[in-house]
Amino acid sequence: MIEARVEKKLVSMVRKLGGRALKFESPGNAGVPDRIVMMPHGKIHFVELKAPGEKPRPLQVAVHEEFEALGFKVEVIDTPEGVEAFARRLDEEQQEYGV
């Protein structure tokens, strides 16, 4: 499954940047993103992983909007290239903090 390859790449690239991309499960709360990415300096991003071209379900979109309203970033990534772009943004964010 290509979604699993995308997920594996995300975990690896985040780790190389000094962070963690933990599987995020919240029993009783359907629609939460697949991974919580924790970076140095307390930066947290949530990541929803999809197969190429696949879109989040309506419940997932609603949860993403709820998280964003609380000030958290939610990324939807469906390709290895999307992981690379996300990793570049994380790296730029870390450089702002001198990491």
Side-chain angles (χ1 to χ4, degrees):
M1 173 191 290
I2 192 151
E3 184 177 328
R5 285 189 9 232
V6 172
E7 189 166 19
K8 184 176 180 179
K9 184 173 185 124
L10 173 74
V11 171
S12 175
M13 292 192 84
V14 167
R15 183 169 286 141
K16 287 178 185 175
L17 292 171
R20 298 285 308 272
L22 303 177
K23 189 76 167 165
F24 182 44
E25 296 179 8
S26 183
N29 295 291
V32 297
D34 297 307
R35 292 277 173 168
I36 181 170
V37 174
M38 299 178 297
M39 298 299 293
H41 301 286
K43 295 297 179 185
I44 294 176
H45 303 263
F46 293 91
V47 178
E48 181 67 48
L49 297 158
K50 294 291 181 189
E54 191 175 308
K55 301 294 181 202
R57 296 184 318 272
L59 177 59
Q60 291 173 317
V61 170
V63 171
H64 297 176
E65 290 171 353
E66 181 181 345
F67 281 24
E68 289 168 346
L70 292 169
F72 294 102
K73 296 177 182 177
V74 180
E75 300 276 341
V76 178
I77 302 175
D78 67 347
T79 63
E81 295 80 16
V83 172
E84 292 167 6
F86 176 65
R88 281 192 299 275
R89 289 192 302 276
L90 289 178
D91 190 38
E92 290 168 4
E93 184 179 84
Q94 292 302 296
Q95 288 179 27
E96 291 178 14
Y97 290 96
V99 175

